[in-house]
Amino acid sequence: MRRAVRILGVPMDLGQGRRGVDMGPSAVRYAGLQARLEGLGYQVEDGGNVIVPVPEEVRAVGPGGMRHLEAVAEACERVFRAVRETVADGRFPIILGGDHSIAMGTVAGVIAAAGPTGVLWIDAHGDFNTPETSPSGNIHGMPLAHLVGRGHPRLIQIGGPEPKLRPEQVVLIGVRSLDPEERRAMAESGMLVFTMREIDELGIATVVRQALTRLKAWPRLHVSLDLDVLDPQVAPGVGTPVPGGLTYREAHLMMEILADSGRVGSVDVVEINPILDERNRTAELAVELLASLLGQQIL
């Protein structure tokens, strides 16, 4: 029997100030994701898009200066339900963003259906701000904080009243841009963080294997992949580019090692901005990385 995958799009750019990442799901589909996965032997169903309002339809600034708070929360609740149903159906969910705030719904949905899950947060940023520490009020810089129970109650309670993760369930890879208060909170959190310095010193293979060892208590893993973890020369079409990121081969090797583990049960891919891209190059790279994560091999 062929393995079953369901693609879900979340065309949301409510969590950030720069427009364009709402077109990310369409760009990845156009880049041939379904055909690539079918070529690997998967049974692929496209579940369409979760309904998300456009910024012009909703209140811009919520409590504490948070942008589009209620609209983001409602959209993430819909993501939560769609992902929970997908996992309960026995399908591997691939969730296409949209900005990284969607992960509050994706992670909650996976855990609601599958139980405690380890999370690999692969991102140039920590996403560990709270409304009190965020310089911008943009919620895409806050999802990981809310998943571990830090921040606004409306976002912590997406998919249920309790925090979805404990710090020891999370490993961050590729971090190189943190706000001052965010840096302090992350250092005190107990989460394992591999910055680009560790990747430079140890090599990506060692980093990923150490991350898998750290998460050994959780046989099921969720990968939350922000394309801005790659260097902008490799992936120019992202919401918040930061120089000095992963190379093309480092990113593929990371996905290949994760595939070899046999533990990844879900993935979200976020922050692809076709407006800033070059002939859909970043979306095509996302398809290639997803193929590597789901088992494509060189030989």
Side-chain angles (χ1 to χ4, degrees):
M1 182 178 177
R2 294 194 299 166
R3 295 166 292 177
V5 168
R6 180 176 293 155
I7 298 168
L8 298 167
V10 189
M12 180 157 75
D13 62 359
L14 296 169
Q16 64 166 313
R18 175 181 279 174
R19 302 297 304 274
V21 294
D22 59 320
M23 295 184 284
S26 294
V28 177
R29 288 178 169 118
Y30 181 76
L33 176 60
Q34 182 164 344
R36 178 67 70 90
L37 298 181
E38 288 173 343
L40 294 175
Y42 287 91
Q43 178 188 14
V44 183
E45 171 196 352
D46 194 319
N49 286 345
V50 174
I51 296 173
V52 181
V54 297
E56 290 79 6
E57 294 178 332
V58 297
R59 183 182 176 191
V61 181
M66 299 175 73
R67 293 170 55 84
H68 308 123
L69 170 61
E70 188 57 33
V72 169
E74 290 176 359
C76 285
E77 292 281 5
R78 289 190 285 272
V79 173
F80 161 75
R81 291 190 291 270
V83 172
R84 180 183 59 184
E85 178 183 348
T86 296
V87 175
D89 286 346
R91 295 180 178 272
F92 184 111
I94 298 176
I95 307 98
L96 307 176
D99 67 64
H100 214 161
S101 61
I102 73 168
M104 293 183 290
T106 62
V107 172
V110 168
I111 290 173
T117 300
V119 174
L120 290 152
W121 199 274
I122 304 171
D123 197 330
H125 305 88
D127 295 346
F128 210 60
N129 270 307
T130 64
E132 292 73 31
T133 66
S134 171
S136 66
N138 290 331
I139 295 175
H140 78 151
M142 309 182 197
L144 184 54
H146 285 89
L147 285 167
V148 300
R150 298 178 64 252
H152 195 284
R154 180 68 179 93
L155 300 179
I156 293 171
Q157 295 169 10
I158 290 167
E162 301 299 325
K164 309 309 175 293
L165 297 171
R166 301 195 305 273
E168 59 266 29
Q169 280 176 266
V170 185
V171 176
L172 292 94
I173 297 176
V175 174
R176 58 192 185 275
S177 178
L178 296 170
D179 295 312
E181 291 299 321
E182 180 186 30
R183 178 184 294 110
R184 187 174 297 109
M186 184 162 285
E188 296 170 353
S189 71
M191 294 186 298
L192 179 59
V193 182
F194 290 104
T195 69
M196 284 305 303
R197 173 171 177 166
E198 280 79 48
I199 293 172
D200 290 341
E201 291 184 347
L202 300 173
I204 192 65
T206 296
V207 163
V208 176
R209 291 185 176 117
Q210 288 186 8
L212 290 170
T213 298
R214 167 71 172 226
L215 298 174
K216 64 183 179 181
W218 293 276
R220 183 187 181 104
L221 301 177
H222 174 80
V223 172
S224 193
L225 174 61
D226 187 326
L227 265 291
D228 71 20
V229 76
L230 283 100
D231 192 88
Q233 293 185 5
V234 179
V238 297
T240 313
V242 183
L246 297 181
T247 67
Y248 178 91
R249 269 310 308 164
E250 284 175 329
H252 270 287
L253 180 57
M254 175 169 56
M255 296 295 112
E256 289 159 357
I257 294 171
L258 292 176
D260 289 346
S261 76
R263 294 165 60 191
V264 177
S266 51
V267 58
D268 51 57
V269 182
V270 302
E271 299 284 356
I272 297 168
N273 189 334
I275 292 175
L276 304 177
D277 207 3
E278 300 168 359
R279 303 175 71 174
N280 217 32
R281 176 179 163 196
T282 304
E284 290 174 355
L285 175 57
V287 171
E288 294 173 8
L289 293 175
L290 285 168
S292 288
L293 182 64
L294 272 74
Q296 180 170 290
Q297 298 177 340
I298 296 172
L299 183 64

